[in-house]
Amino acid sequence: MQTQKRFNMAQAEPEGYKTLLAMEKYLSVTMIAPLHKELIKIRASQINGCAYCIDLHTKDARKMGETEQRIYALNAWRDTPFFSREERAILALTEEVTLISYHVSDATYSEAIEVLGEQLTAQVMLAAVAINSWNRIGIATGLMPAAN
């Protein structure tokens, strides 16, 4: 665990930070359902180990009506009946974009295109890229969730 105080990215590099905020603004008007955006953010954050983002986005998902059961099972979504075909395509794509060194498989890509269509698939990819950027900033700058 980090002990050294680290800078605030928004203060240290405001113009660069604003570009990520612009991406979030764009993503807010895409075809991705709001709850699906939170699933993307939670799942990528789980993979990356970003405690701050996991805390933030699980709270946001709960406010939107997401169930505790689905949140708790998200890291094992393949082994549950809790997620729709569309959500499974979104989660598989999110995982493979997050773990990009293993590449996005043809099977995952084809399933996403079949279930989501080209435009929504592209938007899910962009959403995964965005949360991965936020995760890396959060982890690199030592953001921690506040204790309740």
Side-chain angles (χ1 to χ4, degrees):
M1 183 152 175
Q2 146 246 325
T3 56
Q4 179 183 23
K5 182 172 172 39
R6 298 189 179 178
F7 62 74
N8 177 301
M9 183 64 76
Q11 294 171 352
E13 185 46 58
E15 289 306 309
Y17 194 82
K18 285 178 192 175
T19 64
L20 288 175
L21 293 177
M23 174 68 96
E24 289 299 323
K25 184 177 179 183
Y26 158 75
L27 289 168
S28 72
V29 297
T30 62
M31 298 183 319
I32 308 170
L35 193 52
H36 290 168
K37 288 176 194 163
E38 294 308 318
L39 294 178
I40 292 165
K41 291 174 181 180
I42 296 165
R43 187 65 194 117
S45 299
Q46 288 173 331
I47 291 167
N48 290 324
C50 185
Y52 181 84
C53 291
I54 293 168
D55 182 67
L56 175 68
H57 297 296
T58 55
K59 287 176 182 173
D60 289 347
R62 285 183 188 101
K63 288 176 191 172
M64 292 179 186
E66 185 56 87
T67 66
E68 296 294 314
Q69 184 180 41
R70 282 175 30 115
I71 290 172
Y72 298 149
L74 191 55
N75 65 344
W77 61 269
R78 284 180 178 83
D79 300 321
T80 72
F82 308 147
F83 300 93
S84 69
R85 184 175 182 209
E86 180 182 26
E87 290 166 335
R88 289 173 177 280
I90 288 169
L91 291 169
L93 189 58
T94 297
E95 288 182 355
E96 291 187 19
V97 169
T98 299
L99 299 166
I100 200 67
S101 65
Y102 298 108
H103 301 271
V104 174
S105 70
D106 288 342
T108 296
Y109 177 82
S110 295
E111 178 71 4
I113 294 296
E114 181 181 325
V115 174
L116 308 173
E118 197 170 281
Q119 185 176 16
L120 184 53
T121 296
Q123 291 172 355
V124 169
M125 286 180 181
L126 289 170
V129 167
I131 189 58
N132 274 278
S133 295
W134 290 118
N135 288 166
R136 281 150 178 75
I137 289 170
I139 292 166
T141 61
L143 285 178
M144 290 290 137
N148 291 340

